[in-house]
Amino acid sequence: MSVREKNVRILVLGVGGAGCNAVDRIAMDGLRPADAAENQSGGSVPHLVAINTDSQALSTSLCGEKFQLGIKTTFGLGAGGDPSVGRKAAMEDRDRIAEMVKGTDLVFIAAGLGGGTGTGASPFIAQMAKQAGALTLAFVTLPFEFEGDRRRDQADAGLDELKRVSDAVVCVPNDRLFALAGDKATVLDAFRAADDLLADGVRGIWRMLTKPGLINLDFNDLRRALEGRHDETVFGIGEGQGDDKAAAAAFAALNSPLLDGGAIIAEAETILVSLVGGPDLGLGEVQRAVSAIRKKATQNPHIFMGAAIDENFTGKLSMLVIASRGASAIADDAVTSPLPSERELAASPVVERSPSEPVVALPAPAPPVAAGSPPRPVERFLERVAGKAATGKRERAKQQTLGLEVNIKGRFDKLEPTVYEGEDLDLPTFLRRGIKIA
Amino acid sequence: MSRSRIVVGMEIGTSKICTVVGEQRDDGALAIIGIGECPARGVRKAEVVDLETAVQCVHQSVAAAEDSAGVEIRSLYAGVSGSHIRSFNNRGIVPVQGEGGEISDSDVESAVRNARAINVPPENAVLHSLCQHYYVDGQDGVLNPLGMLGARLSADVHVIHGGRNRTQNLIKCIRSVPPLEVNEVVFNGFAAALAVLSDEQRQQGALVIDMGGGTTDFVVYVGGAIKHSGVIAVGGDHISNDVSLGLKIPCSRAERLKVEHGTVALDDSMKGKAISLTGEISIGSNVIFKDHLCQVMQLRAEETLQLVKRELDKSGFGELLGAGVFLVGGCAHVRGIKDLAADVFGLPVQIGSSQTVMGLTAALDRPEYAAPIGITRFGAIQMGPPKKRESAGNVIGRAIYGLISKMRMF
Ligand SMILES: Nc1nc2c(ncn2[C@@H]2O[C@H](COP(=O)(O)OP(=O)(O)OP(=O)(O)O)[C@@H](O)[C@H]2O)c(=O)[nH]1
Ligand SMILES: Nc1ncnc2c1ncn2[C@@H]1O[C@H](COP(=O)(O)OP(=O)(O)O)[C@@H](O)[C@H]1O
Ligand SMILES: [Mg+2]
Ligand SMILES: [Mg+2]
């Protein structure tokens, strides 16, 4: 069997500026350079669509398929940061959206929450995808603290709505990415990290569904693992090489900030573990990798697991872990931390922090080193530890960006900031709007 | 020409410290006879952050103005701006105390005082209380209630106030150059409007936007009276800073690129077009593309105008601006900004020129001089001639005098 699950139709939708950038990222890198050959063979190659109300932004998208949303509502000018306009734009194109999602099995929706289009249109599109019978997964970012109260409130409202209408929502606060990207990071670096993250997630799942497997994990497993997981879904990817690549991959995945050294796994009700190794992958290794994850679980979760073979992974092992908590777990907060890209997972020393110590900024990620080396700093998932109080959360976000604003305010550094409705206007407009220059 | 006829206004701007010398004729008309200018240092977002450095610039600016006009400057009117400036509208109501129910000067004064009494935080001082109109026993639209009969007098007042310490810093900076004294302080935005709007335009309704280096000051006139005013501490420096960060080039280069090549009117022809500064050879990765430069500029300029639009919408007077929008300040030079503003406001837009005064015509047409010229005009109005005062002048004078005398005490 060369390509499994031939009939699984996957749709990856980027909605709004940020979403389109993320999907562009996938279009640009391919699902992985080596996958290109297979891409041509048809099968479950995801279909990428860039959806935006902003025709100018859309015209620069690299996606093969572009979907101009709500031309009558926005005249191609974007939603101007107003989610009600984004929603109206989506409603205007209800029929075309229905046509697009018809007959698909799995729909990924990527969006940056906080603006007009992504925030307003994504829930509507997710709902239509769901109605069409697709397993619907949303990958979204939450705005930076400095983007202001208005954007944050809009994003929160959009997130709530998305959670109601899609199967699972993976949610990444941008401030978090910023901290992860290191001291010298610019906002664009953080956006890139978000784009990478979304791309990694899509790739990981795509690989799981399409590669020939030692142990098959099919679409129905994925569906069972994720369906109706409105509340909190996180995922992490780790890679290991060398003799003990199973342990290294598991260690890296578990210590990814998203999985919080296993803390989330402990509370998870469903865990999906998907391994991709080379033809040299043995069952013993698979077992070791999975039991490393299983050991962290305390809620007797339902574990789905699979192992696929890909020649490009000879001598390596990549592990994707998706953990979900059901609706009962925590009702009001699906904010999860992001996970680093595979490259970042590879390296840097362990820094132990006490659980309550706020994270200000992390050291810049060290260059990747060989397998088996200690994982990157263990980040504490503070929301979890410190409780869900909104104030605590905001404070934390502020602290995280503190050290970094210095680099992005140029000549207004150290001056009293110009704040308008919670938004720091000294930061370049293009950064706050998430528009890439050059 | 007697010395008392000379009126001087100074704007300590973020980009330049500008001193304007005016000569007031017997009929009250004002002619600009000299201008001195010095690039500002030690000023950020229209506020003095480095006193010593700023004092040197004040000195140079005044010296240049003295040379230019051939006069010696001893006292002047000073413009103030910055994020601390706030405004509100309020109504003051008082029972008429005047003899036989005849409204007296002091009735008017206490109505106005009553109107501005509340809402000003202790750290702020009132800069202007500008009467919009009066009501006598509920009768609407009274322009001058003096001498009218009534039991109750109400005054609608637009109050502009600002941080005490911050305003004081400005005064201190000027007074550090002997023998300079500050007669009064005026809000820059108000001053700019005094320079560019005719009486008729104020009646028709107009929005004046002074976009300078570090702030964007605005005032809204409807039916001849100020209805809204404010400061958004964003200006041309922000455009340059965005360019510097967006294109990863030093600030000075960003500033020059903005002025030499920048426009906020984007079109397809600029795509991929490499640009360079005169006298500069660009090599390799050093290449700057025009579309990148202009996109960064356009985003900031549009956002800033949108913020003013939002303020206008909040005031609820957006529909009443028959004369449209007047853009002044250095940023009025930004290519394409007039059309951009017209798009944003959906109103006719013009670059304001100082049409209310005479004199150095080259200066009158330059939008960056509107505020300092307006400050000078404000001074002229304050000084007389007594027979022909602006209706608001009286009140303004007193309100500001109050501030100054308080400040002098320190
Ligand atoms: N990951 C990522 N996030 C971005 C990017 N650009 C912006 N964002 C974030 O996404 C949020 C929404 O911005 P956009 O996607 O530009 O907004 P939009 O959905 O296109 O909405 P309108 O422009 O109002 O029509 C912002 O508040 C940022 O937090 C990007 O390139 N990558
Ligand atoms: N030709 C021009 N093109 C673009 N920007 C300009 C031009 N001339 C002046 N500016 C900008 O206008 C601003 C200064 O405006 P000005 O009103 O003189 O400032 P201030 O009153 O704050 O000292 C600066 O940011 C400057 O870059
Ligand atoms: Mg957009
Ligand atoms: Mg100015």
Side-chain angles (χ1 to χ4, degrees):
Chain A
M1 186 161 55
S2 68
V3 178
R4 297 165 45 227
E5 302 288 338
K6 259 202 176 359
N7 334 332
V8 177
R9 274 148 307 172
I10 306 177
L11 196 54
V12 182
L13 310 177
V15 185
C20 289
N21 282 341
V23 173
D24 268 4
R25 193 88 191 158
I26 303 177
M28 196 157 49
D29 300 353
L31 286 156
R32 210 160 233 272
D35 292 332
E38 275 166 274
N39 282 354
Q40 270 132 41
S41 70
S44 304
V45 176
H47 189 54
L48 308 180
V49 186
I51 303 177
N52 206 342
T53 52
D54 181 339
S55 55
Q56 203 186 345
L58 208 52
S59 71
T60 62
S61 167
L62 303 168
C63 264
E65 191 173 336
K66 299 172 188 185
F67 189 125
Q68 171 73 53
L69 195 67
I71 191 78
K72 287 204 201 89
T73 308
T74 69
F75 307 105
L77 296 172
D82 184 346
S84 69
V85 175
R87 185 176 185 86
K88 216 169 136 219
M91 283 159 76
E92 177 192 324
D93 280 317
R94 173 193 294 271
D95 295 344
R96 283 168 66 215
I97 296 169
E99 185 63 28
M100 174 178 68
V101 297
K102 202 170 85 188
T104 50
D105 299 294
L106 175 57
V107 174
F108 289 96
I109 295 177
L113 295 183
T117 306
T119 316
S122 306
F124 186 83
I125 295 170
Q127 197 170 16
M128 299 216 59
K130 194 84 190 98
Q131 276 164 7
L135 180 67
T136 307
L137 313 180
F139 289 70
V140 297
T141 58
L142 291 182
F144 288 104
E145 171 84 8
F146 64 66
E147 290 184 63
D149 295 350
R150 202 167 59 119
R151 286 211 160 218
R152 197 204 47 218
D153 294 346
Q154 287 185 177
D156 288 349
L159 179 62
D160 281 350
E161 214 182 325
L162 257 183
K163 276 194 275 178
R164 269 201 304 280
V165 297
S166 38
D167 286 298
V169 181
V170 178
C171 174
V172 183
N174 277 335
D175 285 316
R176 186 86 173 170
L177 290 173
F178 211 172
L180 288 175
D183 260 348
K184 297 267 157 51
T186 65
V187 178
L188 288 185
D189 293 334
F191 282 160
R192 207 158 300 135
D195 298 346
D196 282 344
L197 169 69
L198 302 187
D200 279 349
V202 172
R203 271 189 213 112
I205 291 172
W206 176 77
R207 226 183 268 141
M208 177 182 88
L209 293 176
T210 54
K211 297 295 167 190
L214 269 181
I215 304 162
N216 287 351
L217 242 186
D218 64 18
F219 181 69
N220 285 328
D221 297 322
L222 182 69
R223 186 185 274 281
R224 265 188 289 151
L226 295 178
E227 200 164 40
R229 298 288 155 192
H230 306 294
D231 233 59
E232 186 165 4
T233 300
V234 293
F235 70 95
I237 299 177
E239 205 170 294
Q241 302 180 7
D243 283 346
D244 207 2
K245 50 184 179 279
F251 196 65
L254 278 174
N255 284 302
S256 74
L258 186 69
L259 295 180
D260 191 29
I264 292 194
I265 303 273
E267 293 167 26
E269 290 166 10
T270 323
I271 301 174
L272 186 145
V273 182
S274 165
L275 301 166
V276 183
D280 54 339
L281 180 65
L283 267 178
E285 255 162 346
V286 172
Q287 212 146 39
R288 254 176 291 144
V290 176
S291 71
I293 304 294
R294 192 192 296 276
K295 265 193 287 195
K296 297 282 179 186
T298 60
Q299 301 297 309
N300 192 23
H302 192 159
I303 299 186
F304 299 83
M305 73 118 162
I309 303 299
D310 181 338
E311 283 186 5
N312 299 302
F313 282 79
T314 303
K316 289 189 296 193
L317 184 64
S318 152
M319 180 183 229
L320 166 73
V321 182
I322 304 178
S324 272
R325 292 197 290 196
S328 58
I330 286 166
D332 69 338
D333 193 359
V335 176
T336 66
S337 58
L339 81 177
S341 69
E342 293 178 30
R343 290 176 303 289
E344 287 174 320
L345 274 172
S348 85
V350 178
V351 180
E352 280 299 344
R353 284 197 174 84
S354 75
S356 58
E357 185 185 339
V359 180
V360 175
L362 289 171
V369 296
S373 66
R376 68 196 318 286
V378 179
E379 274 244 34
R380 289 292 158 201
F381 198 178
L382 287 166
E383 272 124 16
R384 195 164 308 288
V385 183
K388 306 284 169 187
T391 51
K393 206 161 88 193
R394 296 203 54 197
E395 221 162 76
R396 194 189 110 259
K398 212 169 247 153
Q399 282 167 324
Q400 283 186 345
T401 53
L402 213 66
L404 296 146
E405 282 178 8
V406 170
N407 298 317
I408 54 180
K409 289 186 70 166
R411 70 160 66 152
F412 300 111
D413 180 27
K414 297 193 185 86
L415 286 182
E416 183 187 337
T418 298
V419 179
Y420 190 92
E421 291 179 357
E423 191 165 354
D424 185 344
L425 297 180
D426 289 340
L427 293 160
T429 311
F430 69 89
L431 282 183
R432 279 180 281 117
R433 298 279 165 80
I435 292 165
K436 290 181 181 171
I437 305 298
Chain B
M1 173 177 87
S2 79
R3 181 158 293 166
S4 64
R5 293 281 178 195
I6 295 295
V7 196
V8 181
M10 173 184 283
E11 182 196 4
I12 299 194
T14 312
S15 302
K16 63 182 194 308
I17 295 184
C18 186
T19 311
V20 169
V21 183
E23 185 189 348
Q24 198 174 20
R25 291 197 322 222
D26 291 336
D27 63 1
L30 180 70
I32 304 305
I33 59 167
I35 290 187
E37 198 184 324
C38 171
R41 281 170 289 127
V43 185
R44 292 283 185 295
K45 297 184 187 176
E47 294 185 61
V48 175
V49 293
D50 176 350
L51 190 69
E52 243 171 84
T53 316
V55 166
Q56 288 173 14
C57 298
V58 168
H59 180 84
Q60 285 173 34
S61 174
V62 167
E66 287 178 331
D67 279 353
S68 155
V71 299
E72 193 188 328
I73 298 172
R74 298 181 160 273
S75 69
L76 48 75
Y77 292 80
V80 62
S81 181
S83 61
H84 57 103
I85 304 284
R86 296 276 184 293
S87 74
F88 60 88
N89 292 324
N90 203 18
R91 179 171 300 176
I93 307 173
V94 289
V96 174
Q97 305 283 334
E99 225 167 292
E102 194 174 300
I103 295 166
S104 71
D105 235 342
S106 80
D107 289 326
V108 173
E109 204 176 311
S110 50
V112 171
R113 199 180 319 116
N114 184 320
R116 70 169 200 245
I118 54 156
N119 286 343
V120 180
E123 68 275 15
N124 276 25
V126 172
L127 290 167
H128 307 273
S129 0
L130 303 160
C131 280
Q132 297 165 333
H133 32 79
Y134 301 91
Y135 304 82
V136 176
D137 292 346
Q139 184 199 332
D140 203 348
V142 177
L143 289 178
N144 187 359
L146 272 183
M148 286 177 72
L149 294 178
R152 203 172 47 144
L153 172 70
S154 321
D156 276 355
V157 173
H158 182 73
V159 177
I160 304 176
H161 56 103
R164 258 175 227 283
N165 292 335
R166 291 164 170 216
T167 310
Q168 225 178 302
N169 267 340
L170 177 89
I171 295 172
K172 187 170 167 198
C173 178
I174 296 170
R175 295 185 78 208
S176 302
V177 180
L180 292 184
E181 287 293 344
V182 177
N183 300 329
E184 287 178 25
V185 180
V186 50
F187 168 48
N188 273 338
F190 176 43
L194 280 181
V196 303
L197 294 184
S198 65
D199 285 348
E200 196 188 354
Q201 286 161 342
R202 275 189 294 217
Q203 285 297 337
Q204 290 171 331
L207 165 66
V208 178
I209 304 174
D210 178 348
M211 205 188 274
T215 63
T216 297
D217 307 352
F218 62 90
V219 299
V220 179
Y221 272 92
V222 175
I226 288 204
K227 296 290 186 180
H228 191 34
S229 63
V231 174
I232 291 165
V234 170
D237 284 356
H238 285 79
I239 301 180
S240 307
N241 195 51
D242 285 9
V243 168
S244 156
L245 293 170
L247 307 183
K248 302 186 177 65
I249 53 176
C251 275
S252 55
R253 189 152 179 257
E255 174 74 28
R256 287 185 57 202
L257 277 171
K258 172 182 88 169
V259 173
E260 281 186 32
H261 293 282
T263 162
V264 293
L266 305 179
D267 66 64
D268 285 342
S269 76
M270 55 179 66
K271 202 154 240 163
K273 187 178 165 210
I275 48 175
S276 55
L277 292 170
T278 42
E280 183 192 71
I281 308 156
S282 53
I283 15 164
S285 63
N286 210 11
V287 173
I288 302 288
F289 293 103
K290 181 153 181 171
D291 51 330
H292 296 162
L293 168 73
C294 299
Q295 196 192 2
V296 172
M297 289 178 61
Q298 194 271 348
L299 284 166
R300 173 63 82 171
E302 183 181 355
E303 178 187 54
T304 308
L305 292 169
Q306 285 289 1
L307 292 175
V308 177
K309 170 84 163 38
R310 227 146 91 198
E311 288 291 316
L312 181 67
D313 291 344
K314 270 193 224 163
S315 78
F317 293 106
E319 308 292 312
L320 303 169
L321 306 182
V325 179
F326 295 76
L327 277 180
V328 297
C331 292
H333 287 296
V334 172
R335 279 174 282 264
I337 198 155
K338 201 172 116 178
D339 292 339
L340 181 65
D343 281 351
V344 167
F345 291 100
L347 288 167
V349 177
Q350 50 185 298
I351 306 300
S353 65
S354 301
Q355 54 168 328
T356 62
V357 299
M358 308 176 303
L360 298 173
T361 29
L364 304 188
D365 287 340
R366 309 243 324 245
E368 65 270 42
Y369 292 138
I373 288 174
I375 296 165
T376 312
R377 173 144 195 261
F378 174 85
I381 294 168
Q382 296 311 100
M383 285 165 75
K387 50 190 179 256
K388 208 185 166 215
R389 272 194 185 168
E390 280 234 340
S391 60
N394 222 340
V395 184
I396 304 166
R398 264 181 232 133
I400 294 185
Y401 196 76
L403 172 76
I404 300 290
S405 38
K406 262 177 242 144
M407 288 176 164
R408 289 271 164 80
M409 288 164 67
F410 292 93

